[in-house]
């Protein structure tokens, strides 16, 4: 896997080591060597980037601006890995990770970087991607020759990342693998490189309600002697407990993912969960008997209560079922969608397309400001949710279609739908080339791109720019504090 490193404070530093190394036969470092290095960047996995004998080494736990001592632990063709031994000069952004199991868990990658440092790094990650991959000019950054060629071009404004006031306890959903120990059921995360589950009772990015629910379910199932699934043998019943909490309504959902249909003492289990989990309105079973790491199986049935819980974002209500995709950070989701609506620049007269619409969240936000919205999404269940959510909110100016955006968009185009604005929110791999072509063909006056991956974003913006659009502004939003994930909203206009 080739990986880019991203310095925290500059977009112009480049890593010559990798290209030079590929010409050499033998890496100039060997495992076990101890070395000292300045840290010049952070990889996309949050590892510090250092150099030794001109060779690039990734060092977990090291931060840009630091000087560290480390030991080479593996050497590849173009980079190696090293273990941090000591920090000789500390970054001003370094802090002690607040979570006691930060090193073992792997769920967060940036807890040793303070929050302002995280936000600064995330913005720089977006800027560097636009400059290096997209060859785009960014305001306040040194212009590269390729970008400078387009002299008449206004540079792009990349705003500071919208962070959280309190960047902890933000996740509304927990998905916990279950195992067994002598003391009963355990649930938490897989120990690195094994099938053993480390018990976890506190996760600082998880809402406390979810923690409490998971504890109660583990305790209840354990007290009734319900067995845990064993990944190595394929035996045992309870595989995962998935819990959701809707902060605006206080409703909670418990999903038991089981290796088989029958749950011993099912009624007692439901009774204990109802007694011990405040706000629980839905207890659901999902059956997964496959020997797979995929969490959910095909069959889902409600054991008690409702099939869904309800949550509200920005005044719109959403029904969330056990399998629905729903953003995990509701506070930041609202800010993300508000940025998308702002960049769409709607007056109430427009026809808008929302491609990759999921359960129609952005579509419904847009519908309040547009004449007509068309949403397209490839997962049929998500579109069922989207239609249900439109009805739930009495929103009638949206129409949803199931299918690949790159196929449906040309069909809409052919049937005479002329969007003024197109919003895209693709998965990590970005937009399909056919979709880009059909975007360019339908020529909306604005494009709003919501992205969870700066690298594919920059690639796609380049294509759209070459096809006659200009990127005006970028608003990054921190949806996942303490992790390396970066979400951004982009505003483009016709040149
Ligand atoms: N806008 C939504 C969902 C974004 S996630 C929200 O904010 O909640 C990206 C979505 O794109 C997923 O729901 C995924 O199922 C869908 N998807 C992936 N490939 C697609 C394609 N080729 N055409 C349409 N939708 C696709």
């Amino acid at each position: 896997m080739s990986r880019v490193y991203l310095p925290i404070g500059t977009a112009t530093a480049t890593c010559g080591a990798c290209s030079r190394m590929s010409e050499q036969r033998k890496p100039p470092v060997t495992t076990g060597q101890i070395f000292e290095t300045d840290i010049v960047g952070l990889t996309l996995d949050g590892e510090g980037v250092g150099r030794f004998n001109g060779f690039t080494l990734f060092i977990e736990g090291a931060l840009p601006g630091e000087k560290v001592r480390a030991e080479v632990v593996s050497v590849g063709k173009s980079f190696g890995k090293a273990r941090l031994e000591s920090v000789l000069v500390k970054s001003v952004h370094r802090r002690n990770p607040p979570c006691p199991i930060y090193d073992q868990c792997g769920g967060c990658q940036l807890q040793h970087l303070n929050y302002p440092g995280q936000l600064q790094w995330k913005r720089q990650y977006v800027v560097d991607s636009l400059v290096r991959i997209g060859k785009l000019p960014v305001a306040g950054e040194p212009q590269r020759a390729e970008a400078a060629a387009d002299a008449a071009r206004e540079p792009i404004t990349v705003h500071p990342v919208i962070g959280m006031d309190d960047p902890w306890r933000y996740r509304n959903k927990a998905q916990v693998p279950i195992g067994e120990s002598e003391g009963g059921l355990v649930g938490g995360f897989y120990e690195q490189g094994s099938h053993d589950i480390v018990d976890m009772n506190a996760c600082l990015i998880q809402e406390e309600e979810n923690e409490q629910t998971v504890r109660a379910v583990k305790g209840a199932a354990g007290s009734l002697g319900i067995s845990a699934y064993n990944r190595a043998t394929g035996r045992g019943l309870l595989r995962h407990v998935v819990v959701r909490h809707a902060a605006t309504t206080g409703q909670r959902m418990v999903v038991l993912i089981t290796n088989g249909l029958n749950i011993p003492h099912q009624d007692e289990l439901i009774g204990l969960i109802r007694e011990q989990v405040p706000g629980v309105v839905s207890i659901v079973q999902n059956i997964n008997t496959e020997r797979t790491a995929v969490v959910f199986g095909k069959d889902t049935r409600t054991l008690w209560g409702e099939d869904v819980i309800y949550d509200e974002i920005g005044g719109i209500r959403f029904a969330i079922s056990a399998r629905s995709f729903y953003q995990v950070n509701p506070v930041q989701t609202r800010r993300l969608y508000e940025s998308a609506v702002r960049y769409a620049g709607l007056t109430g007269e427009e026809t808008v397309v929302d491609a990759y619409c999921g359960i129609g969240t952005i579509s419904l936000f847009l519908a309040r400001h547009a004449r007509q919205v068309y949403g397209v999404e490839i997962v049929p269940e998500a579109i069922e949710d989207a239609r249900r959510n439109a009805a739930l909110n009495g929103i009638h100016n949206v129409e949803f279609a199931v299918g690949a955006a790159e196929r449906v968009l040309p069909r809409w185009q052919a049937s005479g739908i002329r969007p003024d604005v197109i919003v895209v929110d693709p998965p990590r791999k970005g937009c399909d080339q056919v979709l880009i072509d059909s975007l360019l063909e339908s020529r909306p006056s604005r494009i709003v791109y919501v992205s969870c991956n700066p690298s594919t974003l920059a690639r796609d913006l380049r294509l759209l720019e070459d096809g006659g659009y200009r990127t005006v502004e970028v608003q990054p939003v921190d949806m996942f504090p303490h992790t390396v994930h970066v979400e951004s909203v982009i505003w483009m206009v016709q040149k």
Side-chain angles (χ1 to χ4, degrees), residues 244 253 255 286 294 296-300 320-326 381 385:
R244 289 183 188 263
M253 171 183 276
V255 188
N286 173 272
V294 175
F296 278 90
K298 281 205 293 287
D299 298 324
T300 306
I320 308 152
S321 64
R323 304 294 309 273
S324 295
F325 171 84
Y326 188 62
E381 295 82 4
D385 285 347

Side-chain angles (χ1 to χ4, degrees), residues 325 327 337 356-358 361-362 377-379 403-406 425 427:
F325 171 84
Q327 297 277 1
Y337 292 170
Y356 310 90
C357 72
T361 33
I362 296 179
E377 157 67 45
I378 205 160
V379 175
E406 60 273 18
D425 183 6

Side-chain angles (χ1 to χ4, degrees), residues 1 9 74-75 91-92 108 124 150 175 179 239 244 310 338 341 361-362 374 411 421 432 437 448 477 482:
M1 183 171 73
S74 67
V75 181
S91 159
V92 292
C108 299
Q124 197 60 44
D150 190 359
Q175 191 162 289
R239 296 173 72 120
R244 289 183 188 263
Y310 292 95
E338 282 170 355
V341 170
T361 33
I362 296 179
Y374 297 90
R411 227 164 57 209
V421 181
D432 192 278
D437 293 342
V448 178
V477 179
H482 319 299

Side-chain angles (χ1 to χ4, degrees), residues 317-319 357-361 363-364 375-377 379-396 398-403 411-412:
R317 264 169 97 74
F318 295 101
C357 72
I359 59 163
T361 33
S363 315
L364 299 182
V376 52
E377 157 67 45
V379 175
E381 295 82 4
I383 288 295
E384 275 171 37
D385 285 347
R387 290 184 179 132
R388 179 159 38 162
N389 288 330
L392 184 66
N393 291 280
I395 296 176
H396 303 296
V398 280
E399 209 176 294
F400 291 106
V402 180
R411 227 164 57 209
W412 280 341

Side-chain angles (χ1 to χ4, degrees), residues 123 127 156-162 342-343 472-476:
R123 179 179 180 277
V127 168
I156 301 164
T157 302
V158 178
H159 292 288
V161 181
I162 299 178
R342 185 159 43 83
Y343 283 164
V472 186
E473 287 186 22
V474 176
Q475 178 59 70

Side-chain angles (χ1 to χ4, degrees), residues 86-97:
S86 56
V87 179
L88 307 172
V89 179
K90 272 189 191 178
S91 159
V92 292
H93 293 301
R94 177 174 284 281
R95 66 152 172 221
N96 285 329

